[in-house]
Amino acid sequence: MLTQVVPKASPQDERSAREIAALQDVYLAFVDTQRRSAKLALEGISLSFKEGEFCSIVGPSGCGKSTILNLIAGLTKPTEGSVICNGKPVAGINTEVGYVTQDDNLLPWRTLQSNVEIALELRGIPKEERARRSRELIDRVGLTGFENHYPAQLSGGMRKRGSIIRTLIYDANLILMDEPFGPLDAQTRLVLQNDLVKLWERARSTVVFVTHDLVEAIALSDRIIVMTATPGRIKKIYDIDIPRPRDVFHIHDAPGFSRIFDALWADIREEIKASMRRDP
Ligand SMILES: Nc1ncnc2c1ncn2[C@@H]1O[C@H](COP(=O)(O)OP(=O)(O)O)[C@@H](O)[C@H]1O
Ligand SMILES: [Mg+2]
């Protein structure tokens, strides 16, 4: 179903890799007009995402992970600091990124194939080319035969695959994913993680991926960013040097897996404890 590919050099080897997006000393406070108060959600975040890297963000619930993606997507503005994408400050909705959220958001009145083709349709790509590109992706995630099914006729895992390839089809060089596999069962998650790793190893767009699943973060990422409990700061950044192509089904057996997992878990536990002390 999925063709084997020779991986390109890992971003860690490419010191000169181009910066695709960055946050520079970002502070973000949400203002509560009713209570006339402000709540600091992000505190002094500086991050740089390089061309072709798969980067995950983990941290306790409410630490600001989704807010970071929303800043890059231009859905939220920083109170202080700047957000850069493809060399330009993000001002308003950032149409240069693909965004996959926890809900699959497929349009119920369109078939799988016509959902996957939406972005190409909006760009005026001719019908034959749209069909060729959408069918290729549909095939790569094992959905051939379901092109004409409506979302209600597909399983949760199939809909999620559809929403991922719908984002990948327009070749954005930056893709944001916010807990995309959150609502799925454990087996379906594994299959989709495997699909994603194979698709990404071919396309090598930059991915910023939010998850609360540490095993998923290790299996997929070149780098994992750990955040503190709210207000979110960068606590640690780990380079994940498990060789590619990766086998997500046996990631526990990869050299160094336990060491990375234990370190990540210790970080998260520390932050959860700290937030419980602050907010009993
Ligand atoms: N639109 C908003 N208005 C007010 N507070 C918000 C808003 N969005 C997020 N927050 C707050 O900012 C913090 C970070 O939220 P979020 O980025 O959703 O966290 P995470 O994705 O890590 O769970 C939380 O405390 C949340 O309550
Ligand atoms: Mg979130």
Side-chain angles (χ1 to χ4, degrees):
M1 171 180 81
L2 296 163
T3 38
Q4 183 75 28
V5 284
V6 180
K8 295 180 199 161
S10 111
Q12 288 103 311
D13 304 334
E14 297 168 16
R15 298 239 159 83
S16 58
R18 194 161 66 94
E19 180 178 272
I20 298 294
L23 280 76
Q24 294 167 347
D25 210 15
V26 164
Y27 287 74
L28 192 143
F30 287 108
V31 179
D32 183 335
T33 43
Q34 275 183 340
R35 291 194 197 168
R36 296 198 182 166
S37 62
K39 181 183 180 296
L40 194 58
L42 295 176
E43 187 173 44
I45 303 278
S46 293
L47 283 173
S48 170
F49 301 103
K50 299 281 189 279
E51 185 165 35
E53 79 167 331
F54 197 118
C55 195
S56 288
I57 305 179
V58 300
S61 181
C63 72
K65 303 180 292 296
S66 300
T67 304
I68 289 183
L69 297 191
N70 288 339
L71 283 164
I72 301 170
L75 303 173
T76 308
K77 274 195 205 157
T79 311
E80 265 182 53
S82 50
V83 182
I84 312 285
C85 185
N86 289 318
K88 302 178 294 275
V90 174
I93 303 281
N94 183 356
T95 53
E96 293 176 15
V97 301
Y99 202 165
V100 181
T101 55
Q102 195 160 352
D103 317 310
D104 54 61
N105 291 331
L106 293 180
L107 300 174
W109 60 87
R110 280 180 164 241
T111 62
L112 171 68
Q113 183 173 335
S114 95
N115 264 291
V116 172
E117 289 178 11
I118 290 174
L120 302 184
E121 211 174 297
L122 293 174
R123 285 170 194 203
I125 309 281
K127 196 164 185 257
E128 298 71 37
E129 187 184 340
R130 290 201 314 257
R132 185 183 55 74
R133 285 169 65 177
S134 63
R135 291 222 173 122
E136 190 195 322
L137 280 171
I138 287 171
D139 186 48
R140 237 188 276 153
V141 294
L143 288 178
T144 298
F146 294 92
E147 295 88 345
N148 297 321
H149 284 54
Y150 288 89
Q153 300 170 304
L154 302 170
S155 70
M158 289 169 156
R159 285 201 296 273
K160 182 52 75 178
R161 283 194 184 114
S163 82
I164 290 172
I165 58 176
R166 185 181 60 170
T167 304
L168 296 181
I169 201 165
Y170 56 94
D171 287 333
N173 67 355
L174 177 60
I175 295 178
L176 311 173
M177 295 189 160
D178 196 355
E179 307 204 25
F181 308 140
L184 302 172
D185 63 82
Q187 286 79 20
T188 310
R189 284 178 79 105
L190 258 184
V191 172
L192 287 198
Q193 287 164 9
N194 185 57
D195 281 0
L196 180 60
V197 139
K198 299 300 171 212
L199 287 167
W200 177 81
E201 280 168 357
R202 272 176 87 104
R204 281 295 176 127
S205 30
T206 305
V207 178
V208 184
F209 188 92
V210 166
T211 180
H212 59 258
D213 180 336
L214 301 182
V215 178
E216 177 170 279
I218 298 169
L220 300 179
S221 310
D222 297 311
R223 253 188 337 146
I224 299 179
I225 295 160
V226 184
M227 292 180 67
T228 65
T230 191
R233 283 170 277 116
I234 306 297
K235 183 177 174 75
K236 274 190 198 155
I237 298 184
Y238 292 86
D239 283 324
I240 310 300
D241 46 18
I242 297 172
R244 294 186 187 272
R246 292 196 189 155
D247 176 0
V248 304
F249 299 106
H250 298 98
I251 200 70
H252 298 84
D253 302 330
F257 173 88
S258 306
R259 184 180 43 79
I260 304 163
F261 181 85
D262 292 347
L264 283 170
W265 182 227
D267 289 340
I268 300 283
R269 202 168 41 209
E270 201 171 270
E271 287 311 310
I272 293 173
K273 276 192 184 159
S275 65
M276 278 165 32
R277 276 198 297 274
R278 275 201 302 270
D279 189 14

